[in-house]
Amino acid sequence: MAALKTTVNLSKKLFVRNIMLTSFARKYDKIVDTPYEELLQNELSVSQKKYMPGLYPKTKEEMKAAAEKYGLHPDEYKPCDPDTNYAGDYPDLPFISVEAKDPFYPWDFPALRRNFEEPFHKESNMLFGDRYEYGVRQIVEPHKAFPIFCAIMAVSALIFYYSWTISQPLMEKQYPGEGVHYTFELK
């Protein structure tokens, strides 16, 4: 912050020919005071603004409008925390993966297990069926799976170690007038 303030003062004196730096330094005060969502809204085209989340709702009317925009009931709608997520009025949806949803429900899109106009989670790229299985009950719990794996590997290692000492009953016999033949004899 202090370095940028110093740059503002220096740009007025030293960097008169550097148009990029002087224009940034003169717009710096305006950039710092405006929230990030507002800066983003100014950079988007009209077709992009339609699908982007708006500013964080502050009044009840804005909350109702945002809930209607995302197809949620006003009692169900809760916006993301503005201090940590920077998601504007986007709803704070539960983190449920595709595998944890009911497979027998009549979904509009069965492969993704979602309905038409259902809002996506903001981290939905992690929740698809081929990625992250959050909320799925495992058959064997992870703290029990590791000892089971170690026991199976130990038994396999013992079988492998002791199998080398067993001799095989193969014997080689040669008959006169013929080539070498291998026969099996049991003892």
Side-chain angles (χ1 to χ4, degrees), residues 54-68:
L55 298 175
Y56 185 79
K58 296 175 183 163
T59 64
K60 289 187 178 183
E61 291 80 23
E62 291 177 354
M63 292 276 255
K64 285 183 182 179
E68 185 179 325

Side-chain angles (χ1 to χ4, degrees), residues 8 11 14 21 41 44 72 92 96 104 114 142 153 158 169 175:
V8 171
S11 68
L14 300 175
L21 186 60
Q41 289 288 334
L44 298 174
L72 297 172
D92 191 13
I96 300 173
F104 301 110
R114 73 181 292 266
M153 294 309 289
L158 287 173
Y175 295 100

Side-chain angles (χ1 to χ4, degrees), residues 37-53:
E37 294 91 2
E38 203 170 307
L39 289 172
L40 183 65
Q41 289 288 334
N42 294 336
E43 296 294 322
L44 298 174
S45 67
V46 177
S47 63
Q48 290 173 327
K49 284 182 184 179
K50 180 181 176 183
Y51 299 105
M52 292 297 291

Side-chain angles (χ1 to χ4, degrees), residues 57-87:
K58 296 175 183 163
T59 64
K60 289 187 178 183
E61 291 80 23
E62 291 177 354
M63 292 276 255
K64 285 183 182 179
E68 185 179 325
K69 175 182 173 183
Y70 294 110
L72 297 172
H73 191 272
D75 295 336
E76 295 175 347
Y77 176 72
K78 179 185 166 223
C80 293
D81 186 25
D83 296 330
T84 57
N85 290 324
Y86 306 109

Side-chain angles (χ1 to χ4, degrees), residues 49-165:
K49 284 182 184 179
K50 180 181 176 183
Y51 299 105
M52 292 297 291
L55 298 175
Y56 185 79
K58 296 175 183 163
T59 64
K60 289 187 178 183
E61 291 80 23
E62 291 177 354
M63 292 276 255
K64 285 183 182 179
E68 185 179 325
K69 175 182 173 183
Y70 294 110
L72 297 172
H73 191 272
D75 295 336
E76 295 175 347
Y77 176 72
K78 179 185 166 223
C80 293
D81 186 25
D83 296 330
T84 57
N85 290 324
Y86 306 109
D89 68 347
Y90 202 76
D92 191 13
L93 300 171
F95 196 74
I96 300 173
S97 68
V98 173
E99 297 295 321
K101 292 183 179 179
D102 185 15
F104 301 110
Y105 180 82
W107 300 100
D108 292 338
F109 303 105
L112 298 176
R113 292 188 189 161
R114 73 181 292 266
N115 289 323
F116 184 69
E117 290 189 356
E118 178 183 346
F120 275 105
H121 191 274
K122 62 183 174 290
E123 295 176 4
S124 62
N125 57 344
M126 292 185 352
L127 298 176
F128 288 127
D130 61 342
R131 290 177 177 86
Y132 189 58
E133 297 177 356
Y134 184 80
V136 178
R137 290 178 47 193
Q138 302 293 327
I139 295 171
V140 179
E141 295 164 0
H143 67 278
K144 292 180 182 176
F146 184 70
I148 292 171
F149 170 74
C150 291
I152 290 172
M153 294 309 289
V155 169
S156 301
L158 287 173
I159 291 172
F160 181 74
Y161 178 74
Y162 286 113
S163 66
W164 287 105
T165 58

